[in-house]
């Protein structure tokens, strides 16, 4: 069951590295207590935000994700 408590105490790290005329972003969401369904849900959401991007408007709604 997803509780959201699995990510208590985790660290979110962003590292930026200049490469020619671009910037490389290294992102880590570290120190999870365990790999539960909630872990995979958060991991997928971060991937969607970073790799796919999102137009203007909220990503999250009262009912969950907006897409």
């Amino acid at each position: 069951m997803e509780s959201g408590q699995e990510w208590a105490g985790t660290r979110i790290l962003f590292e930026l590295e200049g490469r020619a005329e671009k910037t490389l972003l290294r992102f880590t969401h570290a120190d999870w207590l365990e790999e539960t369904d909630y872990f995979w849900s958060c991991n997928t959401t971060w991937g969607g935000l970073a790799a796919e991007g999102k137009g203007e408007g909220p990503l999250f709604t009262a009912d969950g994700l907006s897409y």
Side-chain angles (χ1 to χ4, degrees), residues 7 27-30 32 35-51 67:
W7 80 309
F27 171 79
T28 304
H29 192 168
W32 283 80
E35 292 184 11
T36 64
D37 288 343
Y38 192 77
F39 167 85
W40 295 110
S41 174
C42 286
N43 189 34
T44 301
T45 300
W46 280 123
L49 288 170
Y67 59 87

Side-chain angles (χ1 to χ4, degrees), residues 14-59:
F14 295 90
E15 295 178 45
L16 300 174
E17 179 184 330
R19 290 197 173 179
E21 295 182 17
K22 297 182 180 185
T23 302
L24 173 68
L25 167 64
R26 286 195 174 99
F27 171 79
T28 304
H29 192 168
D31 300 328
W32 283 80
L33 297 175
E34 58 184 308
E35 292 184 11
T36 64
D37 288 343
Y38 192 77
F39 167 85
W40 295 110
S41 174
C42 286
N43 189 34
T44 301
T45 300
W46 280 123
L49 288 170
E52 298 173 19
K54 177 86 171 95
E56 291 185 23
L59 174 65

